[in-house]
Amino acid sequence: LLIMGPPGAGKGTQAKILAEKYNLIHLSTGDILRREIKKKTAIGLEAQSYMNRGNLVPDNVLLSIMDSTLISLKDSGIILDGFPRTIIQAEKLSETLNEMSLVIDTVVDLVVDADEVINRLAGRSTCQDCGGMFHVQSCPPKVEGVCDNCGGNLAQRQDDNSETILKRLDVYQESTAPLKQFYKGQGNLKTVTARGSVEEIFSRVLEMVK
Ligand code: ADP
Ligand code: ZN
């Protein structure tokens, strides 16, 4: 299953709930890259400068990580979140899946407008320990800066400032939105309105994937 949509559409949130409910593996390339940055690996160091500016990390870097990861998970159901993000990545993904005799069952496209995205991202903070997400208006933590779930520290992502958010939206329109046509052509694109509460959006997603 692929989850697509602009930054802030809720890909990670929806993918996480789906993965828990159906025992699937949730692969978020953003999370994978942020772990590499934390560990200061060669990939992390290269990726960081692109991510902080809101640009895509080069295709070859992503493809090398994702190819080996997918092959190691060939017996599991997988939700891809944040990959593919370019036509080149999508073409390479099709090839890899082909070689593994796997297919993409459904592509869920979360649709939300730019104003909503900017508000969501600019107000969000993430737990450094458990990954829990909060929002100043829609889901504030009980104590400012502290995770309700585990007591960990909350921090804003480095790329969630207004300048970088706008850049990420541009990059999405230019490089990633064309994938909708690509998957529409393959007949498995499902569009979901990503406005409303997490639960409302989740029930729409379920309608599409059941
Ligand atoms: P969002 O979807 O909100 O932008 P992600 O956590 O999915 O957040 O991605 C954060 C950043 O990681 C992107 O802006 C980009 O720099 C990098 N990244 C993630 N996935 C990819 C990908 N498939 N190709 C290139 N860069 C990627
Ligand atoms: Zn936490």
Side-chain angles (χ1 to χ4, degrees), residues 5-8 11 28-31 33-34 47 50-52 54-59 62 81-86 89 121 124 157 159-160 168:
K11 300 182 293 288
S28 153
T29 44
D31 288 348
L33 292 169
R34 280 184 289 276
Y50 294 98
M51 290 170 75
N52 285 348
N55 284 315
L56 294 181
V57 174
D59 286 331
L62 263 293
D81 156 13
F83 181 87
R85 252 174 152 103
T86 63
Q89 291 177 16
L121 293 181
R124 107 175 146 178
R157 256 170 56 176
D159 56 352
D160 280 347
R168 283 154 64 202

Side-chain angles (χ1 to χ4, degrees), residues 103-117:
V103 291
I104 297 170
D105 291 314
T106 306
V107 180
V108 173
D109 181 34
L110 297 177
V111 179
V112 58
D113 47 69
D115 289 353
E116 172 76 9
V117 159

Side-chain angles (χ1 to χ4, degrees), residues 4 9 29 54 73 89 116 135-136 170 188 190-191 205:
M4 288 193 31
T29 44
L73 294 172
Q89 291 177 16
E116 172 76 9
H135 189 277
V136 274
D170 279 352
N188 48 9
K190 310 272 190 197
T191 299
V205 170

Side-chain angles (χ1 to χ4, degrees), residues 21-63:
K21 190 167 163 112
Y22 294 103
N23 219 344
L24 302 168
I25 297 200
H26 171 200
L27 279 184
S28 153
T29 44
D31 288 348
I32 292 172
L33 292 169
R34 280 184 289 276
R35 277 199 292 273
E36 297 288 323
I37 290 175
K38 221 174 179 175
K39 288 191 284 182
K40 298 195 162 62
T41 63
I43 285 179
L45 292 175
E46 183 178 1
Q48 186 162 36
S49 58
Y50 294 98
M51 290 170 75
N52 285 348
R53 276 185 244 128
N55 284 315
L56 294 181
V57 174
D59 286 331
N60 61 337
V61 176
L62 263 293
L63 288 170

Side-chain angles (χ1 to χ4, degrees), residues 127 129-132 147 149-152:
C127 175
D129 294 333
C130 76
C147 175
N149 313 329
C150 77

Side-chain angles (χ1 to χ4, degrees), residues 126-141:
T126 312
C127 175
Q128 301 304 95
D129 294 333
C130 76
M133 282 209 271
F134 298 87
H135 189 277
V136 274
Q137 285 136 20
S138 61
C139 176

